[in-house]
């Protein structure tokens, strides 16, 4: 066989190997994360529910979803093990100390100058005053239709009339 005919098969087998290898790494990382669970740790389930680990069995985990309310989940249903700071921030609403600058919701606060009252505001609205190049009402318009004459100069019966 020629090398050119084997090349697509070799590339396909290599791509499959790389995809299965990365999926296997993800599974191992998830299993390792689930093994690090201890009672009292905050977790998020794959359904998005936040709870505290109470007991750990072989294949199951008992979670406290509310004070005094316990639920039994499979270990595979644990989506993430959260550190205490993140769990408290999400569940109890305790804000962590933020060292990054706060970004405003809109850009209006970024564009204000210190002497805001000195600059006149730009009016983008329609003005009621007549413009200088517009014809006045008392001046006759040169291209205005006279009487019953249509604007385009064509009568109803003529060719090209609308």
């Amino acid at each position: 066989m020629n090398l050119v005919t084997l090349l697509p098969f070799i590339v396909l087998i290599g791509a499959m190997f790389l995809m299965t290898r990365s999926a296997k790494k993800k599974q191992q990382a998830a299993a390792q994360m689930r093994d690090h669970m201890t009672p009292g740790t905050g977790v998020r389930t794959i359904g998005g529910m936040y709870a505290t680990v109470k007991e750990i069995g072989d294949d199951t985990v008992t979670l406290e979803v509310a004070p005094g309310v316990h639920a039994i989940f499979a270990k595979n249903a644990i989506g993430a093990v959260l550190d205490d700071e993140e769990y408290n921030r999400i569940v109890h609403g305790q804000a962590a100390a933020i060292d990054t600058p706060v970004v405003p919701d809109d850009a209006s606060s970024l564009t204000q100058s210190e002497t805001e009252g000195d600059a006149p505001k730009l009016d983008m609205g329609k003005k009621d005053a007549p413009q200088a190049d517009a014809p006045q009402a008392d001046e006759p318009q040169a291209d205005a239709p006279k009487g019953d004459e249509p604007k385009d100069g064509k009568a109803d019966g003529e060719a090209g009339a609308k």
Side-chain angles (χ1 to χ4, degrees), residues 143-162:
D143 51 339
K146 300 173 193 146
D148 293 337
E149 184 180 326
K151 282 200 286 189
D152 59 359
K154 297 180 182 175
D156 287 337
E158 292 184 73
K162 294 182 181 175

Side-chain angles (χ1 to χ4, degrees), residues 55-118:
E55 294 179 14
I56 301 173
D58 292 333
D59 294 330
T60 61
V61 178
T62 303
L63 301 178
E64 184 176 27
V65 294
V69 179
H70 296 93
I72 299 174
F73 282 83
K75 275 189 176 180
N76 291 337
I78 304 301
V81 177
L82 307 172
D83 54 6
D84 291 336
E85 182 179 314
E86 183 179 6
Y87 180 75
N88 288 332
R89 180 182 58 83
I90 294 170
V91 175
H92 302 297
Q94 296 174 353
I98 300 174
D99 295 337
T100 59
V102 178
V103 178
D105 290 339
D106 59 353
S108 64
S109 64
L110 298 175
T111 59
Q112 293 176 350
S113 64
E114 292 178 11
T115 58
E116 185 178 331
D118 296 344

Side-chain angles (χ1 to χ4, degrees), residues 10-25:
I10 293 171
V11 170
L12 183 65
I13 290 171
M16 289 175 54
F17 173 73
L18 291 175
M19 286 189 288
T20 56
R21 189 171 136 211
S22 66
K24 189 174 184 180
K25 282 186 179 180

Side-chain angles (χ1 to χ4, degrees), residues 114-131:
E114 292 178 11
T115 58
E116 185 178 331
D118 296 344
K121 298 278 185 179
L122 179 62
D123 185 19
M124 299 297 285
K126 183 178 178 181
K127 300 208 182 236
D128 294 333
Q131 296 179 358

